[in-house]
Amino acid sequence: MARPKYVFITGGVVSSLGKGIAAASIANLLESRGLRVTLQKLDPYLNIDPGTMSPFQHGEVFVTDDGAETDLDLGHYERFTHAVLTRANNATSGSIYERILSRERRGDYLGRTVQVIPHVTGAIRQQIEKVGTDGIDVVLTEIGGTIGDIESLPFVEAIRQMRQEVGRSGCIYVHVTLVPYIAAAGELKTKPTQHSVKELRALGIQPDILICRTETGLSRDLREKISLFCDVDRAAVIAARDVDTVYQVPVEFSEQGVDRIVLDRLGLEAGPPNLGPWKRMLRTLRHPTDSVDIAVVGKYVDYEDSYKSLKEALLHGGLAHGWQTRIHWIEAESVSASTSERLLGRYDGILVPGGFGSRGIDGMIETIRFAREYEVPYFGICLGMQTMVIEFLRNVCGIPGAHSTEFDPEAPARAFLKLRELKGVEDLGGTMRLGAWPCRISEGSFAREAYGTAEISERHRHRYEFNRPEIEGTVTAHGMRITGETPEQGYVEICELPSHPWFLGCQFHPEFKSKPLEPQPLFKAFVKASHERRLRRDKTSAEQEAERFLRLHQPRPLAATARWADFD
Ligand code: GLN
């Protein structure tokens, strides 16, 4: 089988330039020409994986089917392409060193000195080559951080060495950089880009393509200048101007011929690009026929990156119907019995997402009470399902002491617990249930209607499980239904309130599998239910308005003295 080609993406000047989106967009274009692609992120930090990093620091932890806790860029990769990503598609310095050090302890190096070059760089190269199997045409590897960082040096060296191995047409280097606008001078400045490329060249890498982030775009002169100073073909100096949605980026790149340049450099043959469906999706995004307002009540709401996939999945849920989803982020701690109506009253649907730790739990429970009592469509994800069951036990089943042992280890009624606590055995232990698990859905449920099938698979990242033996009987006797479970172990996956317009909690994270062209079914159904409520509400307020109008303009009996003539 032919060896894959490699595209390496680095970033310069500052972080947060959107390297991940750039990589995903190039992959999207190559895929639209019929090539098979995969993407990989190599992060220079020392944590073994982002699993234990704070969502405030690092944003969302994205979970793959095989249960890897990865960088959120992998979410972009999956949303922009059909690449199937696994644990091998994200590695950190920490994970690379861990592997090398345990080999060293085992004596695998036979007494030789273990060094950054060749051992660390060798392990990085292995990691890169590992994902290019199974008929993949192009591997796109993004190096985290910024060129010039001390910790990224071994990665840069490893991708430099790759060219030695695969040859000139075997790989290319794409460098994402910044061309800032300096207001005082009224000009875009190319100097930071020049410096960044200089730095990259000092490390032995000559970029083939420069992706220049600018607020506006690049003039011909500026392209010439960058091309000359950085020794990059003029056509390969690409302007990545700020756009209204990240989904526009592949189109911008395609218009500037990025995919063509990549193919030429790599000597690859491919069909013409088919961007039709993607462009239609963009048109729907820009010209929605209606909108829904969704309140997301969580604990990391000030930092939207912590709910990246969730945000996208809600947008996709709207796109599926041609509508815009407007998301309103509400800090769970601010919701209480006295504020719930004011804070939540105006939304069409309410969602409580995943989370860890006890801060904000009371606010979530209050939020769910509000959604249940006022018949607002409710979608609870992971922690949002756990709090949904706890609210139900407390306020409907009359068990005020119901809680998850995560928040109250001594809870008199344990609604959620680690399985070990229940069985006294070390099965899943304190570790998480991660990655894809199958789930069987019952007939006649919201979930079944949404998915249209009984067997599904969704991704997980949690520790505490629904305590079936101790609470199932109570909640079901009061009208809650368990509508999804893992076929073998019987772990509870989905709970619903059938008496409500739409009220569903799931233990898994459906947001990880949503794509703009393939909206996740539960999000699609939740947005639809929320829209129905909006219509009901609009209708009620239209009816109220009509009544008020009639009251005000009711034909009054004419005064006795008035004659028809007075009205002429
Ligand atoms: N903290 C809960 C648990 O570990 C929920 C996790 C989540 O929402 N991802 O079970």
Side-chain angles (χ1 to χ4, degrees):
M1 195 173 293
R3 185 171 195 161
K5 305 278 183 172
Y6 295 92
V7 176
F8 296 114
I9 297 113
T10 54
V13 186
V14 290
S15 58
S16 307
L17 285 180
K19 281 195 306 275
I21 299 287
S25 299
I26 299 174
N28 172 297
L29 293 178
L30 296 178
E31 199 178 74
S32 87
R33 286 171 171 274
L35 294 174
R36 284 199 58 196
V37 298
T38 191
L39 294 116
Q40 179 182 44
K41 174 94 189 269
L42 300 179
D43 279 310
Y45 53 72
L46 285 172
N47 307 61
I48 306 272
D49 65 38
T52 51
M53 289 164 89
S54 157
F56 289 112
Q57 270 241 329
H58 197 72
E60 159 186 286
V61 173
F62 186 79
V63 181
T64 54
D65 265 345
D66 69 341
E69 297 178 275
T70 70
D71 185 82
L72 55 76
D73 272 326
L74 273 78
H76 297 310
Y77 302 166
E78 285 202 349
R79 287 187 285 274
F80 278 65
T81 69
H82 290 90
V84 180
L85 305 181
T86 65
R87 152 174 333 277
N89 296 69
N90 189 197
T92 67
S93 290
S95 66
I96 302 269
Y97 274 93
E98 189 192 36
R99 206 174 319 143
I100 289 176
L101 294 178
S102 54
R103 267 191 226 151
E104 189 274 336
R105 288 292 85 183
R106 271 203 316 264
D108 291 2
Y109 295 103
L110 307 173
R112 285 193 302 268
T113 316
V114 183
Q115 294 178 296
V116 172
I117 305 174
H119 300 104
V120 174
T121 48
I124 295 171
R125 280 165 54 180
Q126 265 175 15
Q127 189 75 28
I128 295 170
E129 290 177 348
K130 201 159 141 189
V131 298
T133 50
D134 299 335
I136 297 286
D137 299 306
V138 184
V139 175
L140 296 99
T141 296
E142 175 191 350
I143 310 294
T146 308
I147 289 301
D149 297 347
I150 291 177
E151 55 188 13
S152 66
L153 286 173
F155 292 93
V156 179
E157 171 60 13
I159 61 172
R160 186 195 68 78
Q161 292 174 5
M162 284 291 288
R163 172 157 268 180
Q164 283 296 98
E165 191 178 319
V166 299
R168 294 232 145 242
S169 65
C171 72
I172 58 164
Y173 301 99
V174 177
H175 190 54
V176 183
T177 159
L178 179 70
V179 180
Y181 177 75
I182 303 298
E187 279 182 4
L188 290 169
K189 292 294 186 186
T190 64
K191 194 67 91 187
T193 296
Q194 295 177 38
H195 276 291
S196 177
V197 172
K198 200 166 142 195
E199 189 114 24
L200 194 58
R201 290 164 75 174
L203 299 173
I205 290 179
Q206 168 62 42
D208 296 280
I209 297 178
L210 280 182
I211 303 221
C212 305
R213 287 298 309 274
T214 76
E215 280 173 39
T216 47
L218 293 178
S219 66
R220 213 186 136 85
D221 285 355
L222 275 183
R223 270 184 221 257
E224 296 265 355
K225 189 171 170 187
I226 295 172
S227 156
L228 184 68
F229 281 99
C230 301
D231 206 8
V232 171
D233 285 357
R234 205 177 57 215
V237 177
I238 308 299
R241 61 185 178 105
D242 292 351
V243 281
D244 57 342
T245 160
V246 292
Y247 299 127
Q248 172 66 19
V249 179
V251 177
E252 298 279 312
F253 283 8
S254 150
E255 282 166 2
Q256 297 178 69
V258 175
D259 44 338
R260 191 66 265 164
I261 301 170
V262 172
L263 295 178
D264 287 348
R265 291 289 162 104
L266 293 175
L268 276 174
E269 297 283 332
N274 172 17
L275 284 180
W278 195 265
K279 285 187 174 164
R280 270 196 295 284
M281 175 273 291
L282 278 167
R283 219 170 300 134
T284 313
L285 192 69
R286 297 217 170 88
H287 305 287
T289 54
D290 210 341
S291 60
V292 277
D293 288 273
I294 304 292
V296 176
V297 184
K299 42 200 306 185
Y300 318 115
V301 290
D302 285 337
Y303 188 46
E304 276 183 42
D305 264 4
S306 353
Y307 296 123
K308 193 94 204 151
S309 296
L310 177 76
K311 182 178 153 200
E312 297 304 317
L314 278 167
L315 294 184
H316 308 159
L319 270 178
H321 306 283
W323 306 325
Q324 177 195 21
T325 314
R326 285 194 294 248
I327 306 176
H328 306 267
W329 303 96
I330 295 174
E331 178 59 59
E333 268 186 312
S334 66
V335 183
S336 66
S338 60
T339 62
S340 56
E341 190 148 4
R342 177 169 59 77
L343 289 176
L344 305 170
R346 71 194 101 124
Y347 302 117
D348 307 317
I350 295 179
L351 188 150
V352 172
F356 294 84
S358 51
R359 189 175 65 79
I361 297 293
D362 292 341
M364 292 174 200
I365 293 178
E366 206 44 58
T367 298
I368 296 162
R369 185 193 59 76
F370 180 87
R372 184 175 51 73
E373 291 179 353
Y374 286 81
E375 303 206 325
V376 186
Y378 173 76
F379 191 5
I381 296 179
C382 207
L383 181 60
M385 166 184 137
Q386 300 179 353
T387 41
M388 163 182 152
V389 173
I390 294 165
E391 190 280 331
F392 193 76
L393 278 165
R394 290 186 185 180
N395 300 333
V396 178
C397 310
I399 307 176
H403 221 328
S404 162
T405 58
E406 178 179 7
F407 314 121
D408 179 3
E410 308 300 324
R414 302 179 304 169
F416 288 82
L417 35 64
K418 289 183 194 161
L419 289 182
R420 165 182 64 173
E421 296 179 81
L422 183 70
K423 297 179 184 163
V425 290
E426 193 74 27
D427 58 348
L428 278 175
T431 59
M432 298 227 196
R433 181 143 77 91
L434 282 166
W437 286 68
C439 167
R440 188 172 305 133
I441 308 177
S442 320
E443 293 272 357
S445 59
F446 295 131
R448 182 67 179 263
E449 196 184 326
Y451 283 100
T453 165
E455 309 286 335
I456 58 157
S457 165
E458 293 283 0
R459 299 181 191 169
H460 296 68
R461 182 171 182 252
H462 71 284
R463 282 195 186 86
Y464 294 81
E465 299 289 349
F466 186 105
N467 182 357
R468 234 175 157 165
E470 288 173 23
I471 63 163
E472 177 173 5
T474 314
V475 292
T476 50
H478 286 81
M480 182 173 272
R481 223 184 130 197
I482 293 171
T483 58
E485 60 182 321
T486 61
E488 276 177 31
Q489 310 76 1
Y491 295 147
V492 173
E493 297 282 75
I494 310 176
C495 296
E496 302 183 7
L497 282 188
S499 58
H500 191 281
W502 207 87
F503 203 91
L504 179 149
C506 52
Q507 189 61 78
F508 48 79
H509 289 270
E511 68 271 29
F512 291 141
K513 284 178 67 171
S514 192
K515 301 179 189 225
L517 297 186
E518 293 160 33
Q520 204 283 341
L522 291 178
F523 283 91
K524 185 175 167 189
F526 169 60
V527 169
K528 179 156 178 274
S530 305
H531 187 258
E532 274 160 16
R533 174 178 151 84
R534 172 176 216 113
L535 295 182
R536 274 200 307 278
R537 253 203 333 190
D538 284 353
K539 190 162 160 245
T540 332
S541 50
E543 277 165 5
Q544 281 166 358
E545 195 55 32
E547 261 172 40
R548 205 172 69 89
F549 182 85
L550 284 178
R551 250 197 329 274
L552 285 176
H553 298 86
Q554 203 139 62
R556 294 203 194 95
L558 294 175
T561 53
R563 282 170 293 128
W564 286 115
D566 294 339
F567 296 97
D568 287 341

